[in-house]
Amino acid sequence: MSRLAVDFGARFADFVAWDDAGLRILKRPVSGDMAADLVAGLEALELEAERLQELRLVTTAPLNALLARRPMPVALLSTRGFGDTLRLGRQNRAALYDPVARSPAPVFLVAPEDSHEIGGRLDATGAELAPLDPADIAAAIAGLRAREVRAVAICLLFAHVNPAQELALAEAIRAALPEVSLSLSHQVDPAPREYERTVSVLSDAWLAARMDAPLAAVRAALAARGFAGELLFGDGRGVLVSDAAARAHRAILLSGAPAAAARAGADLSADGVVIAADIGSLSADMSTGRGGQPGMSETGLLAGVPLREACTDIESIALGGTRRVGTGPRGLNFDVDEGPRLDDALAALGRLPDAGVWSAPFSPEAVVAAAADRMAYALTRYATRRNIDPGRASLAVMGGTGALLAADIAAAMGLERVLLPRAPGASGAIGLMQAARRSEAFARVDLGLEALSAEALDALLDRLEGACDGSGPLVYALSLAARRQMHAMPLILGARPASGAEIGEAFAAGFRAEFGIAPPGPGYLFSIAVYRDTRGPVPPMAELGDGAATGLIATEAGAIWCPEGWRLSRTDTAYRLERSAR
């Protein structure tokens, strides 16, 4: 039985198929039809769908659509008086000195005419003050039908404390419009703060409108070919989750593709800290790894959309092979309207095939040097903002363009060595191959630690642990704050806590380590998640060939540029490019 990992990018799809005998890699252009591209890849690899044990997927399609601010047929149902929550946002000034204040809120997620207010109210404890208004529900249903809405986000006040009104409203919508996808805030983001919860549930509905149809086509195409294995998706934490989990929580689809490549970089950090850059056709994604795990963030800003979603801490810049280069007041700059591309410069220098005639008023060497300097500056800035000394960390570079610039970037940073994961031209699919399958269970608690009895905690953990299959060790992920009204911080425990007091001691130690002071409160537990990660076998890397010691050196996918004065070697998990002479 074989396994297959597929990374659908903006221009190419990377396929990695592996079994006990080894692996095969395929890179092919994408057509925009994910199901057709998947079937074409299976045929090119001569893989029979019915013999696949697993299919692992990530795609940049939703993130690219989010970057383009593409509107979708989405509606929002909110409590009366809260219909403008999205547009009011947090009243932050995105540009401090701009005389016209512009809210950074992602208002494109729903059109004003598709926002409906529903009468009914809960108080902060979840008690019902007023029932849902049937007339408002009927008017909303008529509006949804008239506008041919494809997905509905429901975000009612205090639904994270008591979901009864959201569930009742969802039942009414489902009975009237069974074909419409529903996203409920208490399921998507069961936490206080109305603006953040509104953004989360609208993002889920927006993703439903954008991705449900293409993913349904993928499932149908697989079923037609007898696929009976497991469909898994790479999520924003760099792990694999089930198809059912992806359907229930679509936000994992947004950052799954960059997180897969970050996983490939993090796997090179078993002995220390790694800062990584994945440089592809359009952009470069930066990440960190420590002890084999990617750096994480409890909140993310993806394409300008704030999401309360634990995800790999990734930052992107507009640097890639198809970026055009021109001259400006500060010299060479990228992403201009006209001029040669970075790929053109690499081709003129022999690092890519099909070199054309270079006719720009600056040299291709200057273009490559400018790209390396820009990437070195971005990596240094990214690392130091996370209290990482780039001179003491390892550097990992990947991606089709990254493998051709790795030595230049290392030199620009004053480093003598740079690591590249196996098959650097297909790093996302390789990261998917190396990722662990995560089985997890989540529960909302909303209780002060002093009120959490040992008996109640035991019963809750017994239930959550029973829902986690697999063979890896159990991990306990808690969300706490010093007091209920304060922002939550994560706490990861490798051993099962026995009481609220034990959790409080661990929280106090973590708070002191993070902020340098004791927590200003006894501790309030918002939620607990229990998970275990299970990794499968991975084929060993191929040996380096006996070809040229410098120049373009082929790997399982993509070539590495090894300039004069550098040498390329192989470890069990990566390629190592080292300076051999000054």
Side-chain angles (χ1 to χ4, degrees), residues 199-215:
V199 172
S200 294
V201 71
L202 271 172
S203 299
D204 191 80
W206 185 94
L207 282 163
R210 173 65 181 82
M211 294 304 299
D212 278 4
L215 289 178

Side-chain angles (χ1 to χ4, degrees), residues 188-494:
V188 173
D189 186 6
R193 299 183 183 273
E194 291 308 299
Y195 170 65
E196 285 78 6
R197 193 153 50 91
T198 299
V199 172
S200 294
V201 71
L202 271 172
S203 299
D204 191 80
W206 185 94
L207 282 163
R210 173 65 181 82
M211 294 304 299
D212 278 4
L215 289 178
V218 165
R219 296 181 186 104
L222 289 170
R225 284 157 180 80
F227 175 70
E230 194 166 14
L231 179 59
L232 302 171
F233 288 89
D235 83 348
R237 299 165 296 180
V239 297
L240 299 164
V241 298
S242 67
D243 186 21
R247 290 175 192 245
H249 193 55
R250 298 177 185 88
I252 68 171
L253 299 172
L254 276 174
S255 56
R263 160 59 60 189
D267 280 351
L268 307 182
S269 67
D271 299 325
V273 179
V274 159
I275 52 175
D278 176 27
I279 311 174
S281 299
L282 297 173
S283 62
D285 299 321
M286 297 173 287
S287 60
T288 64
R290 187 189 301 268
Q293 296 298 321
M296 301 294 293
S297 173
E298 288 303 302
T299 58
L301 188 66
L302 288 172
V305 178
L307 293 177
R308 284 194 294 195
E309 186 76 24
C311 58
T312 305
D313 184 11
I314 294 171
E315 190 172 305
S316 301
I317 64 169
L319 177 69
T322 61
R323 293 295 180 187
R324 295 193 175 277
V325 188
T327 55
R330 297 184 180 180
L332 294 179
N333 57 84
F334 289 81
D335 208 17
V336 294
D337 292 336
E338 296 181 357
R341 301 170 303 166
L342 175 56
D343 277 353
D344 296 328
L346 293 170
L349 295 175
R351 304 189 195 184
L352 282 173
D354 303 324
V357 177
W358 183 265
S359 59
F362 40 82
S363 69
E365 290 87 354
V367 172
V368 170
D373 286 344
R374 181 173 178 180
M375 195 71 245
Y377 171 80
L379 283 167
T380 301
R381 182 173 178 270
Y382 172 81
T384 53
R385 288 190 168 193
R386 288 153 180 81
N387 296 319
I388 295 173
D389 181 352
R392 296 177 180 270
S394 297
L395 172 66
V397 178
M398 66 202 83
T401 302
L404 305 177
L405 292 172
D408 303 87
I409 296 168
M413 296 178 69
L415 303 176
E416 302 291 314
R417 186 181 74 169
V418 57
L419 301 173
L420 296 98
R422 67 184 300 176
S427 51
I430 290 294
L432 273 182
M433 179 184 73
Q434 296 170 342
R437 162 73 186 274
R438 176 162 293 182
S439 175
E440 60 189 326
F442 171 90
R444 191 77 193 168
V445 179
D446 276 317
L447 202 64
L449 291 178
E450 72 281 359
L452 181 62
S453 69
E455 295 76 16
L457 180 61
D458 273 342
L460 174 61
L461 294 180
D462 284 344
R463 177 170 61 84
L464 295 177
E465 290 172 1
C468 296
D469 55 10
S471 57
L474 287 166
V475 179
Y476 303 84
L478 293 77
S479 176
L480 304 100
R483 299 183 183 277
R484 182 182 183 185
Q485 68 270 24
M486 299 178 69
H487 285 284
M489 68 170 281
L491 178 66
I492 305 297
L493 302 176

Side-chain angles (χ1 to χ4, degrees), residues 7 33 35 50 60 77-78 94 125 162 185 211 239 252 266 356 382 423 429 452 460-461 475 495 533 565:
D7 176 12
D33 185 332
E50 65 268 23
T60 62
L77 306 186
S78 56
T125 68
N162 178 6
S185 74
M211 294 304 299
V239 297
I252 68 171
Y382 172 81
L452 181 62
L460 174 61
L461 294 180
V475 179
D533 290 345

